[in-house]
Amino acid sequence: MRKKNISDLLERKKNTRLPQTLSAFDLIMLGIGAIVGTGIFILPGTVAATHSGPAISISFIIAAFVCCLAGMCYAEFSSKIPVTGSAYIYTYITFGELVAWLVGWALVLEYGLAVASVATGWSAYFNGLLQGFNISIPQALSGPFNPEAGTFINLPAMIIILVLAFFLTQGVRESTNLNKIMVFIKVGIILLFILIGFFYVEPANWRPFMPFGFEGILSGAAIVFFAFLGFDAVSSAAEEVKKPQRNLPIGIIGSLFVCALLYVAVSFVLTGIVPYSDLNVSNPVSYVMQLVNQGWISGIISIGAIVGMTTVILVMIYAGTRLLFALSRDGLLPKSLMNLNASQTPAKSTWTFAIIVAIFAGVTPLSQLAELVNMGTLIAFSAVSIGVIALRQNKQIPTDGFQVPLYPVLPIITFLACFFLITQLSITTWIASFIWFLIGLFMYFFYGRKNSILK
C-alpha cells in the first residue's frame, strides 16, 4: 500500500525526463490517430442494423458522453501530475503500489492486445488491397497459426508492428509528424465520404428512427463505446508535453469531440442512403458507395481503413512503451527498459513491447480475446475516475491545472458507468482476465515488490 510522494516523483522525473516537444495540436492528432480506426468504417453499419437503427447517432453521442466523463478525470490527473505512465502513475499516488501495478498490468493487456488485433485487421485489408493489383502473399504467411486453413504465420501483421516500432525509436517528434500525415489522410477520406454521401441521403430511410426502442440505443452505446477507446493513450504523453496544465486537457477532450462529430456524421449519412436493415455487412461504408454507383470511392475507403489502422497501431505502441518505461523507472520491471537512445526515446522498451506483441499478432487468432482489451481499459477508467476523489484530498497536489466540474458527482457517475460496462462482458473474458491478473500478482510478489524504488 506504499504510495508515491508527489515531490519525489516530480524531482525524479527531472533526472530521467523525456524531452518536452508536443503541443495541444499534436495531442489532438495523437488522440484521433488512436481512436479513429476500423470502428468508423465498420461499427456504424453493423450496430445500426442489429441494435439502434438510424438512432445509432444517438448511441454514439451517449458513448462519447461517457468517454468524455472519463476523459475529464484523466485530464485532471495528467494536468496536475504531468508524468508518463497514465492511469498507472495516478493510482500509484492515490491507492498505492499494488493497485498501481494491477492497473499497469491491465493497461499492458489493453495496449498489447489492441496492437495485435488491429495489426491482424490491417493485414486483412492490406492483403485485399494487394489482390486488387493481382499481387498475393503466400497463404501460409497471410494469417495466424491455423493449419486447417493453410495459414501458419501472419507476416504482414508482424512487419507493420516492427516498422512502426522503428519509427518510434527515431524520436517522438518524427513519430508525431508521421501520425499527423496519416490522420489528415484518413480524416480527409472520411470527409469525402460524408460530402458525397450527403447528396444521396433519402430522409425516408430514417423512419422509423428508433426501431429497437431506447433499450436498443443503450445496447448500441455499450458496443460503440469501444470505438472511442484510445484517448487514454494521450495521457501517456504527459511528460513530453509543453505546458501540460493547458495542453493535456485540450488534447484529451478535443480529440474526443472531433471523433464524436465524425462518428455521428458518418452514421447519419449511412442510415440516410440505405435502410438500416441493409447495413449488416463487414464494409458498410464501401457498400453504400457501390449502391449509389460511386464504386471508385470504395478503393479510396480501403486505403483510408489501412491508414486509420496504422495510426491506431502507432499510438498504441507508443502508449505501451511509455508504460513499460514508467514501470521500469519505478523498479517494478528491469531497469534496462528505461534506457534512452540517442534520439531520447526508450528504445529497449519499444523493441521489447513490439517484438512480444508482433509474435502474438503473427501466430494467435485474437478475435476471441478482443473483449480483454475492453476489460483492461474499463479497469483503468474505473481507477482513474474514483481516484479523482482521493486526488483532491492530497494536499501535496498542485492546485493549478484542469479540474473535473460538478465534483464529486461526475467522478462517481463515471465510475458507476464503467463498472456497469464491466459487468456486461462475457464470463470467458472474466476468466481470462483473472488468469492474467494472477500472472501479474506472481510477477509483483517475486520481482516488483523486492526491486521497487519505494522501500
Side-chain angles (χ1 to χ4, degrees), residues 86-123:
S86 186
Y88 155 70
I89 285 293
Y90 309 152
T91 49
Y92 211 148
I93 292 165
T94 52
F95 298 121
E97 187 172 272
L98 179 59
V99 177
W101 166 257
L102 292 175
V103 169
W105 194 238
L107 288 174
V108 170
L109 180 71
E110 174 198 347
Y111 296 141
L113 287 182
V115 170
S117 58
V118 174
T120 302
W122 185 97
S123 174

PDB file of all heavy atoms in Angstrom, residues 86-123:
ATOM      1  N   SER A  86       0.402   7.351 -17.274  1.00  0.00           N
ATOM      2  CA  SER A  86      -1.052   7.391 -17.361  1.00  0.00           C
ATOM      3  C   SER A  86      -1.696   6.862 -16.069  1.00  0.00           C
ATOM      4  O   SER A  86      -1.286   7.221 -14.970  1.00  0.00           O
ATOM      5  CB  SER A  86      -1.517   6.591 -18.585  1.00  0.00           C
ATOM      6  OG  SER A  86      -2.891   6.716 -18.798  1.00  0.00           O
ATOM      7  N   ALA A  87      -2.718   6.014 -16.209  1.00  0.00           N
ATOM      8  CA  ALA A  87      -3.501   5.562 -15.057  1.00  0.00           C
ATOM      9  C   ALA A  87      -2.646   4.837 -14.031  1.00  0.00           C
ATOM     10  O   ALA A  87      -2.958   4.842 -12.835  1.00  0.00           O
ATOM     11  CB  ALA A  87      -4.638   4.655 -15.530  1.00  0.00           C
ATOM     12  N   TYR A  88      -1.562   4.204 -14.476  1.00  0.00           N
ATOM     13  CA  TYR A  88      -0.671   3.505 -13.545  1.00  0.00           C
ATOM     14  C   TYR A  88      -0.095   4.472 -12.512  1.00  0.00           C
ATOM     15  O   TYR A  88      -0.134   4.214 -11.303  1.00  0.00           O
ATOM     16  CB  TYR A  88       0.451   2.817 -14.328  1.00  0.00           C
ATOM     17  CG  TYR A  88       1.710   2.574 -13.535  1.00  0.00           C
ATOM     18  CD1 TYR A  88       1.733   1.619 -12.521  1.00  0.00           C
ATOM     19  CD2 TYR A  88       2.867   3.314 -13.771  1.00  0.00           C
ATOM     20  CE1 TYR A  88       2.882   1.407 -11.775  1.00  0.00           C
ATOM     21  CE2 TYR A  88       4.018   3.107 -13.049  1.00  0.00           C
ATOM     22  CZ  TYR A  88       4.022   2.155 -12.048  1.00  0.00           C
ATOM     23  OH  TYR A  88       5.157   1.955 -11.306  1.00  0.00           O
ATOM     24  N   ILE A  89       0.434   5.599 -12.968  1.00  0.00           N
ATOM     25  CA  ILE A  89       1.015   6.581 -12.061  1.00  0.00           C
ATOM     26  C   ILE A  89      -0.060   7.199 -11.178  1.00  0.00           C
ATOM     27  O   ILE A  89       0.145   7.424  -9.975  1.00  0.00           O
ATOM     28  CB  ILE A  89       1.745   7.684 -12.859  1.00  0.00           C
ATOM     29  CG1 ILE A  89       3.075   7.138 -13.401  1.00  0.00           C
ATOM     30  CG2 ILE A  89       2.009   8.911 -11.995  1.00  0.00           C
ATOM     31  CD1 ILE A  89       4.102   6.825 -12.328  1.00  0.00           C
ATOM     32  N   TYR A  90      -1.224   7.475 -11.762  1.00  0.00           N
ATOM     33  CA  TYR A  90      -2.283   8.128 -10.987  1.00  0.00           C
ATOM     34  C   TYR A  90      -2.737   7.254  -9.818  1.00  0.00           C
ATOM     35  O   TYR A  90      -2.974   7.749  -8.706  1.00  0.00           O
ATOM     36  CB  TYR A  90      -3.474   8.452 -11.896  1.00  0.00           C
ATOM     37  CG  TYR A  90      -3.108   9.199 -13.161  1.00  0.00           C
ATOM     38  CD1 TYR A  90      -3.874   9.085 -14.317  1.00  0.00           C
ATOM     39  CD2 TYR A  90      -1.983  10.021 -13.210  1.00  0.00           C
ATOM     40  CE1 TYR A  90      -3.536   9.760 -15.481  1.00  0.00           C
ATOM     41  CE2 TYR A  90      -1.644  10.699 -14.369  1.00  0.00           C
ATOM     42  CZ  TYR A  90      -2.413  10.557 -15.497  1.00  0.00           C
ATOM     43  OH  TYR A  90      -2.074  11.223 -16.650  1.00  0.00           O
ATOM     44  N   THR A  91      -2.866   5.948 -10.053  1.00  0.00           N
ATOM     45  CA  THR A  91      -3.284   5.063  -8.962  1.00  0.00           C
ATOM     46  C   THR A  91      -2.141   4.818  -7.981  1.00  0.00           C
ATOM     47  O   THR A  91      -2.388   4.526  -6.806  1.00  0.00           O
ATOM     48  CB  THR A  91      -3.787   3.715  -9.512  1.00  0.00           C
ATOM     49  OG1 THR A  91      -2.843   3.195 -10.457  1.00  0.00           O
ATOM     50  CG2 THR A  91      -5.116   3.887 -10.209  1.00  0.00           C
ATOM     51  N   TYR A  92      -0.888   4.921  -8.437  1.00  0.00           N
ATOM     52  CA  TYR A  92       0.267   4.777  -7.534  1.00  0.00           C
ATOM     53  C   TYR A  92       0.220   5.865  -6.468  1.00  0.00           C
ATOM     54  O   TYR A  92       0.512   5.637  -5.290  1.00  0.00           O
ATOM     55  CB  TYR A  92       1.564   4.907  -8.350  1.00  0.00           C
ATOM     56  CG  TYR A  92       2.731   4.094  -7.816  1.00  0.00           C
ATOM     57  CD1 TYR A  92       3.682   3.582  -8.700  1.00  0.00           C
ATOM     58  CD2 TYR A  92       2.904   3.860  -6.457  1.00  0.00           C
ATOM     59  CE1 TYR A  92       4.763   2.839  -8.242  1.00  0.00           C
ATOM     60  CE2 TYR A  92       3.979   3.128  -5.992  1.00  0.00           C
ATOM     61  CZ  TYR A  92       4.908   2.621  -6.885  1.00  0.00           C
ATOM     62  OH  TYR A  92       5.978   1.889  -6.432  1.00  0.00           O
ATOM     63  N   ILE A  93      -0.183   7.063  -6.879  1.00  0.00           N
ATOM     64  CA  ILE A  93      -0.227   8.205  -5.965  1.00  0.00           C
ATOM     65  C   ILE A  93      -1.422   8.114  -5.029  1.00  0.00           C
ATOM     66  O   ILE A  93      -1.312   8.470  -3.844  1.00  0.00           O
ATOM     67  CB  ILE A  93      -0.286   9.516  -6.784  1.00  0.00           C
ATOM     68  CG1 ILE A  93       1.034   9.722  -7.528  1.00  0.00           C
ATOM     69  CG2 ILE A  93      -0.602  10.717  -5.906  1.00  0.00           C
ATOM     70  CD1 ILE A  93       0.973  10.750  -8.611  1.00  0.00           C
ATOM     71  N   THR A  94      -2.541   7.623  -5.534  1.00  0.00           N
ATOM     72  CA  THR A  94      -3.774   7.669  -4.751  1.00  0.00           C
ATOM     73  C   THR A  94      -4.081   6.389  -3.977  1.00  0.00           C
ATOM     74  O   THR A  94      -4.617   6.444  -2.868  1.00  0.00           O
ATOM     75  CB  THR A  94      -4.969   7.977  -5.676  1.00  0.00           C
ATOM     76  OG1 THR A  94      -4.962   7.060  -6.784  1.00  0.00           O
ATOM     77  CG2 THR A  94      -4.873   9.400  -6.212  1.00  0.00           C
ATOM     78  N   PHE A  95      -3.750   5.207  -4.546  1.00  0.00           N
ATOM     79  CA  PHE A  95      -4.153   3.950  -3.920  1.00  0.00           C
ATOM     80  C   PHE A  95      -2.991   3.061  -3.493  1.00  0.00           C
ATOM     81  O   PHE A  95      -3.207   2.062  -2.807  1.00  0.00           O
ATOM     82  CB  PHE A  95      -5.056   3.156  -4.865  1.00  0.00           C
ATOM     83  CG  PHE A  95      -6.335   3.859  -5.202  1.00  0.00           C
ATOM     84  CD1 PHE A  95      -6.647   4.161  -6.517  1.00  0.00           C
ATOM     85  CD2 PHE A  95      -7.227   4.234  -4.206  1.00  0.00           C
ATOM     86  CE1 PHE A  95      -7.828   4.819  -6.832  1.00  0.00           C
ATOM     87  CE2 PHE A  95      -8.399   4.887  -4.507  1.00  0.00           C
ATOM     88  CZ  PHE A  95      -8.701   5.189  -5.830  1.00  0.00           C
ATOM     89  N   GLY A  96      -1.779   3.361  -3.925  1.00  0.00           N
ATOM     90  CA  GLY A  96      -0.651   2.560  -3.504  1.00  0.00           C
ATOM     91  C   GLY A  96      -0.093   1.669  -4.600  1.00  0.00           C
ATOM     92  O   GLY A  96      -0.660   1.535  -5.688  1.00  0.00           O
ATOM     93  N   GLU A  97       1.046   1.010  -4.277  1.00  0.00           N
ATOM     94  CA  GLU A  97       1.833   0.304  -5.284  1.00  0.00           C
ATOM     95  C   GLU A  97       1.132  -0.921  -5.866  1.00  0.00           C
ATOM     96  O   GLU A  97       1.172  -1.141  -7.084  1.00  0.00           O
ATOM     97  CB  GLU A  97       3.169  -0.120  -4.663  1.00  0.00           C
ATOM     98  CG  GLU A  97       4.146  -0.726  -5.648  1.00  0.00           C
ATOM     99  CD  GLU A  97       5.503  -0.937  -5.016  1.00  0.00           C
ATOM    100  OE1 GLU A  97       6.322   0.000  -5.066  1.00  0.00           O
ATOM    101  OE2 GLU A  97       5.743  -2.037  -4.463  1.00  0.00           O
ATOM    102  N   LEU A  98       0.492  -1.739  -5.039  1.00  0.00           N
ATOM    103  CA  LEU A  98      -0.114  -2.975  -5.540  1.00  0.00           C
ATOM    104  C   LEU A  98      -1.247  -2.675  -6.518  1.00  0.00           C
ATOM    105  O   LEU A  98      -1.329  -3.278  -7.594  1.00  0.00           O
ATOM    106  CB  LEU A  98      -0.623  -3.829  -4.383  1.00  0.00           C
ATOM    107  CG  LEU A  98      -1.303  -5.144  -4.794  1.00  0.00           C
ATOM    108  CD1 LEU A  98      -0.355  -6.021  -5.600  1.00  0.00           C
ATOM    109  CD2 LEU A  98      -1.811  -5.892  -3.565  1.00  0.00           C
ATOM    110  N   VAL A  99      -2.131  -1.743  -6.145  1.00  0.00           N
ATOM    111  CA  VAL A  99      -3.231  -1.380  -7.048  1.00  0.00           C
ATOM    112  C   VAL A  99      -2.661  -0.769  -8.331  1.00  0.00           C
ATOM    113  O   VAL A  99      -3.134  -1.048  -9.434  1.00  0.00           O
ATOM    114  CB  VAL A  99      -4.191  -0.389  -6.359  1.00  0.00           C
ATOM    115  CG1 VAL A  99      -5.287   0.052  -7.323  1.00  0.00           C
ATOM    116  CG2 VAL A  99      -4.822  -1.030  -5.125  1.00  0.00           C
ATOM    117  N   ALA A 100      -1.614   0.059  -8.186  1.00  0.00           N
ATOM    118  CA  ALA A 100      -0.991   0.675  -9.360  1.00  0.00           C
ATOM    119  C   ALA A 100      -0.421  -0.384 -10.301  1.00  0.00           C
ATOM    120  O   ALA A 100      -0.573  -0.294 -11.523  1.00  0.00           O
ATOM    121  CB  ALA A 100       0.108   1.643  -8.927  1.00  0.00           C
ATOM    122  N   TRP A 101       0.242  -1.384  -9.724  1.00  0.00           N
ATOM    123  CA  TRP A 101       0.797  -2.450 -10.555  1.00  0.00           C
ATOM    124  C   TRP A 101      -0.305  -3.189 -11.311  1.00  0.00           C
ATOM    125  O   TRP A 101      -0.169  -3.477 -12.501  1.00  0.00           O
ATOM    126  CB  TRP A 101       1.593  -3.435  -9.695  1.00  0.00           C
ATOM    127  CG  TRP A 101       1.905  -4.709 -10.414  1.00  0.00           C
ATOM    128  CD1 TRP A 101       1.277  -5.914 -10.259  1.00  0.00           C
ATOM    129  CD2 TRP A 101       2.888  -4.909 -11.441  1.00  0.00           C
ATOM    130  NE1 TRP A 101       1.812  -6.848 -11.098  1.00  0.00           N
ATOM    131  CE2 TRP A 101       2.801  -6.266 -11.846  1.00  0.00           C
ATOM    132  CE3 TRP A 101       3.828  -4.085 -12.057  1.00  0.00           C
ATOM    133  CZ2 TRP A 101       3.622  -6.808 -12.827  1.00  0.00           C
ATOM    134  CZ3 TRP A 101       4.645  -4.627 -13.042  1.00  0.00           C
ATOM    135  CH2 TRP A 101       4.549  -5.964 -13.418  1.00  0.00           C
ATOM    136  N   LEU A 102      -1.419  -3.479 -10.631  1.00  0.00           N
ATOM    137  CA  LEU A 102      -2.510  -4.193 -11.280  1.00  0.00           C
ATOM    138  C   LEU A 102      -3.132  -3.358 -12.401  1.00  0.00           C
ATOM    139  O   LEU A 102      -3.489  -3.881 -13.461  1.00  0.00           O
ATOM    140  CB  LEU A 102      -3.570  -4.586 -10.257  1.00  0.00           C
ATOM    141  CG  LEU A 102      -3.136  -5.663  -9.240  1.00  0.00           C
ATOM    142  CD1 LEU A 102      -4.226  -5.890  -8.208  1.00  0.00           C
ATOM    143  CD2 LEU A 102      -2.791  -6.969  -9.951  1.00  0.00           C
ATOM    144  N   VAL A 103      -3.263  -2.052 -12.170  1.00  0.00           N
ATOM    145  CA  VAL A 103      -3.780  -1.177 -13.226  1.00  0.00           C
ATOM    146  C   VAL A 103      -2.787  -1.116 -14.389  1.00  0.00           C
ATOM    147  O   VAL A 103      -3.167  -1.175 -15.557  1.00  0.00           O
ATOM    148  CB  VAL A 103      -4.065   0.231 -12.669  1.00  0.00           C
ATOM    149  CG1 VAL A 103      -4.336   1.225 -13.806  1.00  0.00           C
ATOM    150  CG2 VAL A 103      -5.255   0.199 -11.723  1.00  0.00           C
ATOM    151  N   GLY A 104      -1.493  -0.991 -14.060  1.00  0.00           N
ATOM    152  CA  GLY A 104      -0.480  -1.001 -15.111  1.00  0.00           C
ATOM    153  C   GLY A 104      -0.485  -2.301 -15.890  1.00  0.00           C
ATOM    154  O   GLY A 104      -0.355  -2.314 -17.115  1.00  0.00           O
ATOM    155  N   TRP A 105      -0.670  -3.409 -15.179  1.00  0.00           N
ATOM    156  CA  TRP A 105      -0.736  -4.734 -15.809  1.00  0.00           C
ATOM    157  C   TRP A 105      -1.957  -4.824 -16.717  1.00  0.00           C
ATOM    158  O   TRP A 105      -1.902  -5.423 -17.803  1.00  0.00           O
ATOM    159  CB  TRP A 105      -0.782  -5.788 -14.704  1.00  0.00           C
ATOM    160  CG  TRP A 105      -0.517  -7.201 -15.141  1.00  0.00           C
ATOM    161  CD1 TRP A 105      -1.365  -8.263 -14.982  1.00  0.00           C
ATOM    162  CD2 TRP A 105       0.653  -7.729 -15.770  1.00  0.00           C
ATOM    163  NE1 TRP A 105      -0.794  -9.414 -15.477  1.00  0.00           N
ATOM    164  CE2 TRP A 105       0.451  -9.116 -15.972  1.00  0.00           C
ATOM    165  CE3 TRP A 105       1.850  -7.157 -16.185  1.00  0.00           C
ATOM    166  CZ2 TRP A 105       1.393  -9.936 -16.564  1.00  0.00           C
ATOM    167  CZ3 TRP A 105       2.804  -7.969 -16.790  1.00  0.00           C
ATOM    168  CH2 TRP A 105       2.576  -9.334 -16.976  1.00  0.00           C
ATOM    169  N   ALA A 106      -3.080  -4.228 -16.292  1.00  0.00           N
ATOM    170  CA  ALA A 106      -4.283  -4.191 -17.131  1.00  0.00           C
ATOM    171  C   ALA A 106      -4.044  -3.366 -18.388  1.00  0.00           C
ATOM    172  O   ALA A 106      -4.508  -3.719 -19.480  1.00  0.00           O
ATOM    173  CB  ALA A 106      -5.463  -3.610 -16.343  1.00  0.00           C
ATOM    174  N   LEU A 107      -3.295  -2.273 -18.254  1.00  0.00           N
ATOM    175  CA  LEU A 107      -3.002  -1.434 -19.411  1.00  0.00           C
ATOM    176  C   LEU A 107      -2.054  -2.124 -20.380  1.00  0.00           C
ATOM    177  O   LEU A 107      -2.162  -1.936 -21.601  1.00  0.00           O
ATOM    178  CB  LEU A 107      -2.408  -0.099 -18.954  1.00  0.00           C
ATOM    179  CG  LEU A 107      -3.387   0.870 -18.285  1.00  0.00           C
ATOM    180  CD1 LEU A 107      -2.648   2.092 -17.759  1.00  0.00           C
ATOM    181  CD2 LEU A 107      -4.478   1.298 -19.264  1.00  0.00           C
ATOM    182  N   VAL A 108      -1.115  -2.906 -19.855  1.00  0.00           N
ATOM    183  CA  VAL A 108      -0.249  -3.694 -20.742  1.00  0.00           C
ATOM    184  C   VAL A 108      -1.110  -4.618 -21.597  1.00  0.00           C
ATOM    185  O   VAL A 108      -0.891  -4.773 -22.806  1.00  0.00           O
ATOM    186  CB  VAL A 108       0.777  -4.511 -19.926  1.00  0.00           C
ATOM    187  CG1 VAL A 108       1.503  -5.515 -20.816  1.00  0.00           C
ATOM    188  CG2 VAL A 108       1.785  -3.583 -19.258  1.00  0.00           C
ATOM    189  N   LEU A 109      -2.106  -5.233 -20.959  1.00  0.00           N
ATOM    190  CA  LEU A 109      -3.040  -6.098 -21.684  1.00  0.00           C
ATOM    191  C   LEU A 109      -3.800  -5.310 -22.743  1.00  0.00           C
ATOM    192  O   LEU A 109      -3.921  -5.739 -23.899  1.00  0.00           O
ATOM    193  CB  LEU A 109      -4.022  -6.727 -20.690  1.00  0.00           C
ATOM    194  CG  LEU A 109      -5.079  -7.674 -21.263  1.00  0.00           C
ATOM    195  CD1 LEU A 109      -4.438  -8.971 -21.717  1.00  0.00           C
ATOM    196  CD2 LEU A 109      -6.154  -7.957 -20.210  1.00  0.00           C
ATOM    197  N   GLU A 110      -4.314  -4.133 -22.353  1.00  0.00           N
ATOM    198  CA  GLU A 110      -5.096  -3.307 -23.291  1.00  0.00           C
ATOM    199  C   GLU A 110      -4.267  -2.922 -24.508  1.00  0.00           C
ATOM    200  O   GLU A 110      -4.662  -3.158 -25.657  1.00  0.00           O
ATOM    201  CB  GLU A 110      -5.599  -2.043 -22.593  1.00  0.00           C
ATOM    202  CG  GLU A 110      -6.289  -1.077 -23.556  1.00  0.00           C
ATOM    203  CD  GLU A 110      -6.415   0.330 -23.007  1.00  0.00           C
ATOM    204  OE1 GLU A 110      -6.199   0.540 -21.794  1.00  0.00           O
ATOM    205  OE2 GLU A 110      -6.725   1.238 -23.813  1.00  0.00           O
ATOM    206  N   TYR A 111      -3.108  -2.307 -24.259  1.00  0.00           N
ATOM    207  CA  TYR A 111      -2.300  -1.801 -25.370  1.00  0.00           C
ATOM    208  C   TYR A 111      -1.757  -2.943 -26.229  1.00  0.00           C
ATOM    209  O   TYR A 111      -1.761  -2.864 -27.459  1.00  0.00           O
ATOM    210  CB  TYR A 111      -1.144  -0.951 -24.843  1.00  0.00           C
ATOM    211  CG  TYR A 111      -1.569   0.303 -24.121  1.00  0.00           C
ATOM    212  CD1 TYR A 111      -0.907   0.740 -22.972  1.00  0.00           C
ATOM    213  CD2 TYR A 111      -2.635   1.070 -24.578  1.00  0.00           C
ATOM    214  CE1 TYR A 111      -1.292   1.887 -22.305  1.00  0.00           C
ATOM    215  CE2 TYR A 111      -3.035   2.217 -23.914  1.00  0.00           C
ATOM    216  CZ  TYR A 111      -2.355   2.623 -22.778  1.00  0.00           C
ATOM    217  OH  TYR A 111      -2.738   3.764 -22.117  1.00  0.00           O
ATOM    218  N   GLY A 112      -1.300  -4.009 -25.574  1.00  0.00           N
ATOM    219  CA  GLY A 112      -0.719  -5.112 -26.325  1.00  0.00           C
ATOM    220  C   GLY A 112      -1.725  -5.802 -27.226  1.00  0.00           C
ATOM    221  O   GLY A 112      -1.469  -6.014 -28.418  1.00  0.00           O
ATOM    222  N   LEU A 113      -2.894  -6.166 -26.666  1.00  0.00           N
ATOM    223  CA  LEU A 113      -3.908  -6.837 -27.478  1.00  0.00           C
ATOM    224  C   LEU A 113      -4.514  -5.904 -28.515  1.00  0.00           C
ATOM    225  O   LEU A 113      -4.886  -6.343 -29.609  1.00  0.00           O
ATOM    226  CB  LEU A 113      -5.002  -7.420 -26.586  1.00  0.00           C
ATOM    227  CG  LEU A 113      -4.632  -8.659 -25.777  1.00  0.00           C
ATOM    228  CD1 LEU A 113      -5.830  -9.154 -24.986  1.00  0.00           C
ATOM    229  CD2 LEU A 113      -4.108  -9.764 -26.684  1.00  0.00           C
ATOM    230  N   ALA A 114      -4.609  -4.608 -28.182  1.00  0.00           N
ATOM    231  CA  ALA A 114      -5.126  -3.655 -29.169  1.00  0.00           C
ATOM    232  C   ALA A 114      -4.202  -3.600 -30.380  1.00  0.00           C
ATOM    233  O   ALA A 114      -4.657  -3.640 -31.529  1.00  0.00           O
ATOM    234  CB  ALA A 114      -5.270  -2.274 -28.544  1.00  0.00           C
ATOM    235  N   VAL A 115      -2.898  -3.530 -30.128  1.00  0.00           N
ATOM    236  CA  VAL A 115      -1.934  -3.503 -31.235  1.00  0.00           C
ATOM    237  C   VAL A 115      -2.018  -4.785 -32.051  1.00  0.00           C
ATOM    238  O   VAL A 115      -2.086  -4.757 -33.292  1.00  0.00           O
ATOM    239  CB  VAL A 115      -0.501  -3.304 -30.703  1.00  0.00           C
ATOM    240  CG1 VAL A 115       0.531  -3.511 -31.817  1.00  0.00           C
ATOM    241  CG2 VAL A 115      -0.342  -1.895 -30.122  1.00  0.00           C
ATOM    242  N   ALA A 116      -2.033  -5.931 -31.364  1.00  0.00           N
ATOM    243  CA  ALA A 116      -2.034  -7.216 -32.068  1.00  0.00           C
ATOM    244  C   ALA A 116      -3.299  -7.418 -32.885  1.00  0.00           C
ATOM    245  O   ALA A 116      -3.255  -7.842 -34.046  1.00  0.00           O
ATOM    246  CB  ALA A 116      -1.862  -8.360 -31.065  1.00  0.00           C
ATOM    247  N   SER A 117      -4.462  -7.101 -32.306  1.00  0.00           N
ATOM    248  CA  SER A 117      -5.717  -7.329 -33.017  1.00  0.00           C
ATOM    249  C   SER A 117      -5.893  -6.360 -34.181  1.00  0.00           C
ATOM    250  O   SER A 117      -6.356  -6.752 -35.263  1.00  0.00           O
ATOM    251  CB  SER A 117      -6.907  -7.226 -32.052  1.00  0.00           C
ATOM    252  OG  SER A 117      -6.927  -5.961 -31.418  1.00  0.00           O
ATOM    253  N   VAL A 118      -5.513  -5.092 -33.985  1.00  0.00           N
ATOM    254  CA  VAL A 118      -5.623  -4.126 -35.083  1.00  0.00           C
ATOM    255  C   VAL A 118      -4.641  -4.472 -36.199  1.00  0.00           C
ATOM    256  O   VAL A 118      -4.955  -4.329 -37.384  1.00  0.00           O
ATOM    257  CB  VAL A 118      -5.403  -2.686 -34.570  1.00  0.00           C
ATOM    258  CG1 VAL A 118      -5.377  -1.697 -35.739  1.00  0.00           C
ATOM    259  CG2 VAL A 118      -6.502  -2.295 -33.593  1.00  0.00           C
ATOM    260  N   ALA A 119      -3.452  -4.951 -35.827  1.00  0.00           N
ATOM    261  CA  ALA A 119      -2.478  -5.356 -36.846  1.00  0.00           C
ATOM    262  C   ALA A 119      -3.007  -6.534 -37.659  1.00  0.00           C
ATOM    263  O   ALA A 119      -2.756  -6.624 -38.873  1.00  0.00           O
ATOM    264  CB  ALA A 119      -1.153  -5.731 -36.188  1.00  0.00           C
ATOM    265  N   THR A 120      -3.758  -7.428 -37.011  1.00  0.00           N
ATOM    266  CA  THR A 120      -4.368  -8.536 -37.736  1.00  0.00           C
ATOM    267  C   THR A 120      -5.394  -8.030 -38.748  1.00  0.00           C
ATOM    268  O   THR A 120      -5.451  -8.484 -39.897  1.00  0.00           O
ATOM    269  CB  THR A 120      -5.033  -9.507 -36.746  1.00  0.00           C
ATOM    270  OG1 THR A 120      -4.058  -9.994 -35.824  1.00  0.00           O
ATOM    271  CG2 THR A 120      -5.657 -10.690 -37.467  1.00  0.00           C
ATOM    272  N   GLY A 121      -6.213  -7.056 -38.331  1.00  0.00           N
ATOM    273  CA  GLY A 121      -7.161  -6.444 -39.253  1.00  0.00           C
ATOM    274  C   GLY A 121      -6.461  -5.684 -40.365  1.00  0.00           C
ATOM    275  O   GLY A 121      -6.882  -5.723 -41.530  1.00  0.00           O
ATOM    276  N   TRP A 122      -5.376  -4.992 -40.017  1.00  0.00           N
ATOM    277  CA  TRP A 122      -4.578  -4.273 -41.028  1.00  0.00           C
ATOM    278  C   TRP A 122      -4.078  -5.247 -42.087  1.00  0.00           C
ATOM    279  O   TRP A 122      -4.115  -4.947 -43.286  1.00  0.00           O
ATOM    280  CB  TRP A 122      -3.403  -3.589 -40.330  1.00  0.00           C
ATOM    281  CG  TRP A 122      -2.553  -2.724 -41.215  1.00  0.00           C
ATOM    282  CD1 TRP A 122      -2.650  -1.377 -41.370  1.00  0.00           C
ATOM    283  CD2 TRP A 122      -1.456  -3.150 -42.037  1.00  0.00           C
ATOM    284  NE1 TRP A 122      -1.692  -0.939 -42.250  1.00  0.00           N
ATOM    285  CE2 TRP A 122      -0.944  -1.998 -42.675  1.00  0.00           C
ATOM    286  CE3 TRP A 122      -0.862  -4.386 -42.302  1.00  0.00           C
ATOM    287  CZ2 TRP A 122       0.124  -2.055 -43.558  1.00  0.00           C
ATOM    288  CZ3 TRP A 122       0.204  -4.442 -43.186  1.00  0.00           C
ATOM    289  CH2 TRP A 122       0.695  -3.290 -43.797  1.00  0.00           C
ATOM    290  N   SER A 123      -3.628  -6.415 -41.646  1.00  0.00           N
ATOM    291  CA  SER A 123      -3.109  -7.416 -42.570  1.00  0.00           C
ATOM    292  C   SER A 123      -4.188  -7.866 -43.557  1.00  0.00           C
ATOM    293  O   SER A 123      -3.923  -8.019 -44.752  1.00  0.00           O
ATOM    294  CB  SER A 123      -2.578  -8.621 -41.786  1.00  0.00           C
ATOM    295  OG  SER A 123      -2.189  -9.660 -42.645  1.00  0.00           O
TER     296      SER A 123
END
